[in-house]
Amino acid sequence: MALRYLTARLAQQIDEELMSATGAFSLDQLMELAGLACAQTLATVYSREQYPRVLVCCGPGNQGGDGLVAARHLGMCGYKPTIWMPKPGNKDIYQRLKTQCDNMKIPTIAPSQDTSSLRDALARSDVVLDAIFGFSFKPPVRAPFDSALPLIASSGLPIVSVDIPSGWDVEKGNAEGLGLNPDVLISLTAPKEGAKSFKGRHFLGGRFVTKALEEKYSLQLPEYPGFSQIVELPKVEEGQKL
């Protein structure tokens, strides 16, 4: 059987089951493992020597939390991350993740609806980690992200997207043509339906799915190599069915 691609509903269901009494994971645990996988993906494709300055773009939800964790790990690995988070999440977990980044002396651009600071940050960066919208995203794209996505897309910088490229429909992909077109995608838990149309380098991360869950949902996950937190998926050829 082939690797299973998830609908938004099924992805949400698996997340809830992981954090239920049966799954016994906390949100902190899942976010830490997901963010570590994101950092490892970026470091695998874009070396610290050639791409040291990483602009980590975070949304206000769990996707942004993954980005904050990734920023911390990238900082620990010798990269120079900067965080752009115009609408910081107000939950305690985001405050703690932000404090951890502050303690690593990772700069954060002051929150603003004005994207001029984003434009300046892009000019000083080598690669973008897109952790803005996750699988729960529903259009339309609202301010300030509606003007931010075109800025990021036109920057000419390589982009690594977390779980689903920002602006994409989780099941239909970039059907509206408004989302980012990243060079690299790191899917978490299992790829989402919309990622079937993604043509770049595609990795899978989130080494927290239990054997019981994998079998229950027939995920058919590939084997992770050694102690790596990520595994690269085969490139999808034009016209190939998944």
Side-chain angles (χ1 to χ4, degrees):
M1 291 178 66
L3 173 65
R4 185 171 188 180
Y5 283 65
L6 306 180
T7 62
R9 182 174 176 275
L10 186 53
Q12 181 66 39
Q13 188 174 333
I14 292 173
D15 261 17
E16 289 173 357
E17 193 156 339
L18 281 164
M19 290 185 285
S20 69
T22 303
F25 279 96
S26 68
L27 177 59
D28 299 62
Q29 284 179 292
L30 297 178
M31 209 170 270
E32 186 68 26
L33 290 167
L36 176 59
C38 296
Q40 191 174 109
T41 298
L42 187 144
T44 297
V45 181
Y46 299 106
S47 71
R48 182 184 65 188
E49 292 72 27
Q50 289 184 285
Y51 301 88
R53 301 172 301 174
V54 184
L55 182 61
V56 182
C57 297
C58 297
N62 289 353
Q63 193 91 336
D66 295 341
L68 291 173
V69 172
R72 171 164 44 83
H73 282 292
L74 288 167
M76 288 181 169
C77 292
Y79 286 82
K80 297 176 181 177
T82 296
I83 297 166
W84 178 72
M85 187 170 54
K87 297 177 71 174
N90 54 15
K91 293 182 180 178
D92 176 66
I93 186 171
Y94 303 117
Q95 306 303 320
R96 288 187 282 109
L97 290 173
K98 174 63 168 56
T99 298
Q100 290 166 10
C101 289
D102 292 343
N103 291 340
M104 284 290 297
K105 298 186 176 180
I106 296 171
T108 299
I109 298 168
S112 172
Q113 295 294 305
D114 181 5
T115 54
S116 60
S117 57
L118 172 62
R119 183 181 289 106
D120 293 342
L122 288 165
R124 299 190 303 269
S125 301
D126 301 304
V127 58
V128 174
L129 181 65
D130 159 35
I132 299 174
F133 299 133
F135 65 74
S136 58
F137 166 75
K138 298 290 183 187
V141 180
R142 295 178 174 83
F145 302 108
D146 56 345
S147 53
L149 292 187
L151 270 181
I152 296 169
S154 63
S155 69
L157 297 176
I159 300 170
V160 178
S161 285
V162 176
D163 208 24
I164 193 79
S166 289
W168 286 35
D169 184 279
V170 179
E171 292 161 15
K172 298 175 184 177
N174 197 19
E176 301 297 322
L178 302 176
L180 297 177
N181 285 302
D183 305 270
V184 179
L185 175 64
I186 166 66
S187 290
L188 299 172
T189 304
K192 312 307 178 288
E193 286 279 353
K196 287 181 177 180
S197 59
F198 178 68
K199 303 301 181 187
R201 290 186 69 177
H202 192 178
F203 293 80
L204 179 65
R207 219 170 165 175
F208 43 69
V209 180
T210 63
K211 292 295 182 185
L213 269 181
E214 183 178 354
E215 292 170 4
K216 178 178 179 178
Y217 292 102
S218 301
L219 298 179
Q220 300 297 318
L221 301 178
E223 185 175 348
Y224 285 83
F227 50 79
S228 179
Q229 297 298 308
I230 58 174
V231 55
E232 187 162 7
L233 301 177
K235 189 173 179 64
V236 177
E237 301 299 333
E238 196 71 36
Q240 180 181 348
K241 291 185 178 181
L242 296 175

